[in-house]
Amino acid sequence: MYDFLVVGAGPSGSRFARSAAEAGRDVLVLESGEIGRPLACSGHVSLDVWEFVPDDARDRLRQNEIYGARFHLGGADSPSHPFYKETVVSNAIDRVGLDETLAECAREVGATVRTGHTVTGVTERTDRVEIEANGPDGIERFEAKLVCGADGPRSRVRSQLGLPEPDELLHGVLGFDPEPDHDDFVDVHLTVPRFFAWRIPRGEAGVEYGLAVEPGEDASGRFEELVADYGADIDRRCSGAIPIGPPDRTTGRRSFLVGDAAGQTKPFTGGGILYGMRAADVAARTIDPERPSTTEEYERAWRSELGRDQTIGKVIRAGYSLPEPIQRAGMRAFSGEIGVHMDRPTSLFSTEQLRAMLSWK
Ligand SMILES: Cc1cc2nc3c(=O)[nH]c(=O)nc-3n(C[C@H](O)[C@H](O)[C@H](O)COP(=O)(O)OP(=O)(O)OC[C@H]3O[C@@H](n4cnc5c(N)ncnc54)[C@H](O)[C@@H]3O)c2cc1C
């Protein structure tokens, strides 16, 4: 019987597996496909990501350094309002490589990671959890003291255990133009209802175009308009779901969710790589497999770690739907150098942000 069976080897599952195995737990990770594939993510992350991978992985994973974002209320040729720092704010990274690196880190400290195993059944018993998976040799059964659902936005673990769904699931679409681009800025277009479209220069890896929309909106049609507007030549595309708004509960009697499965994303960008890994560390620190009731401690602790940033993130997202004249006035008033940390909107109220605002007025 394993201490923890982790479903999903994305950033959240692999990070939890690594942290739990480092703490001496016996951990099995089951991943349905190959690690990191298929890609459905921009891999645009704050520099905090480097705290989670070995130093020697940086050069391999980093594709481009970003200093800020140009916000547009219209399309490619519309006026832009830059928000930036004098130093690097974020990186575009190789997301498949990140997942492979994190899974390797988990293996190195003793976790077992098996690919090609799709979890199809999860049953909580009084003294254990029973997990059924479909693998290369057919149906296999496993037992663990607790199950960690790190299986992404459409979590099977969540639905099997009857845990509530996130508030929303946006539909994200991405496409890549192979032409290298080392620009320092991403472009953000507030042209999509209640969210945005983007252009990310990825160095030698080309340029990524993308957007996310609510269910019922025409994601493909809007994506075609975006790339036509830029005159981009897209050679491959992909799509994925983005959960916004964490469910009221993310834990069961012998179960807990991390990452997208738990809605641990930034409401104003949909970014979840770092929130998921931070929550995974909270889970490894707070949950004791011998005392399943410690999942309640995790429920409290991850909300205390991310909750305020998620609340302010929702307010920022509401700004995407304001009438255009108000958006334009806001952009003019606040664009320029910023002090805010992209994963921590609470830093909008920091002395660094205040200093940045005073220095350019
Ligand atoms: C279009 C788009 C762009 C994005 N851009 C960014 C960005 O720039 N920056 C950022 O921070 N975030 C971004 N995100 C969000 C980011 O991709 C997620 O927040 C992140 O992947 C969450 O990691 P995770 O480990 O929780 O889940 P996932 O990465 O989804 O990993 C879940 C894993 O579980 C596996 N799995 C699923 N079901 C089963 C099963 N039944 N059995 C076994 N395995 C299973 C999957 O194969 C997968 O490997 C983007 C998302 C989308 C859709």
Side-chain angles (χ1 to χ4, degrees):
M1 164 128 60
Y2 293 94
D3 287 330
F4 294 110
L5 192 146
V6 182
V7 185
S12 314
S14 289
R15 178 66 189 187
F16 173 76
R18 174 191 178 165
S19 299
E22 266 176 345
R25 311 299 189 195
D26 195 7
V27 184
L28 171 66
V29 185
L30 297 180
E31 164 57 47
S32 58
E34 276 178 69
I35 307 282
R37 291 192 171 82
L39 175 70
C41 177
S42 305
H44 177 223
V45 282
S46 76
L47 306 184
D48 289 3
V49 75
W50 305 122
E51 293 165 21
F52 294 85
V53 294
D55 287 347
D56 61 5
R58 283 188 188 205
D59 289 344
R60 183 166 43 81
L61 297 178
R62 186 176 40 229
Q63 294 175 329
N64 197 17
E65 296 188 320
I66 308 291
Y67 286 73
R70 288 182 291 253
F71 276 76
H72 305 253
L73 298 179
D77 295 327
S78 64
S80 67
H81 304 271
F83 291 75
Y84 62 89
K85 284 189 180 180
E86 293 297 338
T87 53
V88 177
V89 175
S90 56
N91 286 157
I93 60 165
D94 167 6
R95 169 63 205 266
V96 174
L98 175 74
D99 285 25
E100 289 168 347
T101 304
L102 293 167
E104 195 47 41
C105 288
R107 284 192 176 109
E108 276 170 9
V109 292
T112 303
V113 182
R114 289 198 206 164
T115 55
H117 284 74
T118 302
V119 169
T120 51
V122 181
T123 312
E124 285 175 303
R125 304 280 180 208
T126 324
D127 57 344
R128 66 192 188 282
V129 188
E130 292 170 356
I131 291 111
E132 202 170 87
N134 204 346
D137 303 322
I139 302 289
E140 289 180 62
R141 290 183 180 78
F142 303 89
E143 288 185 346
K145 291 173 189 162
L146 279 101
V147 64
C148 165
D151 48 346
R154 301 188 192 279
S155 171
R156 173 75 69 108
V157 176
R158 189 175 66 214
S159 58
Q160 282 274 306
L161 296 174
L163 290 170
E165 303 277 315
D167 292 345
E168 290 178 76
L169 267 192
L170 302 182
H171 179 192
V173 183
L174 297 177
F176 298 89
D177 181 333
E179 187 71 23
D181 188 333
H182 296 266
D183 191 4
D184 294 342
F185 278 73
V186 298
D187 288 282
V188 175
H189 297 271
L190 301 183
T191 49
V192 169
R194 301 200 62 225
F195 216 69
F196 58 86
W198 62 85
R199 177 189 189 276
I200 303 178
R202 313 193 70 93
E204 290 303 308
V207 181
E208 176 200 311
Y209 296 87
L211 53 79
V213 292
E214 293 177 316
E217 289 282 343
D218 177 12
S220 308
R222 286 182 178 276
F223 181 76
E224 292 309 328
E225 281 169 26
L226 173 73
V227 296
D229 195 19
Y230 270 101
D233 203 0
I234 301 299
D235 74 345
R236 67 200 157 92
R237 62 186 67 199
C238 51
S239 69
I242 301 178
I244 306 279
D248 293 338
R249 197 158 52 84
T250 59
T251 56
R253 269 183 304 143
R254 286 184 172 269
S255 55
F256 57 98
L257 307 174
V258 294
D260 273 22
Q264 291 160 344
T265 60
K266 287 185 277 183
F268 63 110
T269 67
I273 296 174
L274 279 152
Y275 279 20
M277 290 199 292
R278 279 165 60 192
D281 280 357
V282 172
R285 202 168 58 235
T286 50
I287 300 175
D288 177 352
E290 302 305 331
R291 294 189 303 129
S293 62
T294 48
T295 52
E296 285 167 28
E297 173 58 20
Y298 163 66
E299 185 86 78
R300 271 191 301 275
W302 84 254
R303 290 181 197 275
S304 135
E305 169 92 7
L306 303 176
R308 283 186 60 230
D309 280 314
Q310 286 190 311
T311 302
I312 293 176
K314 274 189 189 169
V315 175
I316 297 173
R317 180 176 172 215
Y320 302 160
S321 309
L322 288 171
E324 210 177 296
I326 299 179
Q327 286 181 331
R328 188 166 295 114
M331 295 280 174
R332 284 209 193 101
F334 293 108
S335 61
E337 193 178 349
I338 50 163
V340 68
H341 184 295
M342 71 181 263
D343 292 334
R344 298 174 207 263
T346 40
S347 60
L348 268 171
F349 310 108
S350 65
T351 37
E352 197 191 350
Q353 175 63 16
L354 194 61
R355 200 176 299 122
M357 286 177 76
L358 294 174
S359 68
W360 46 259
K361 290 291 175 203

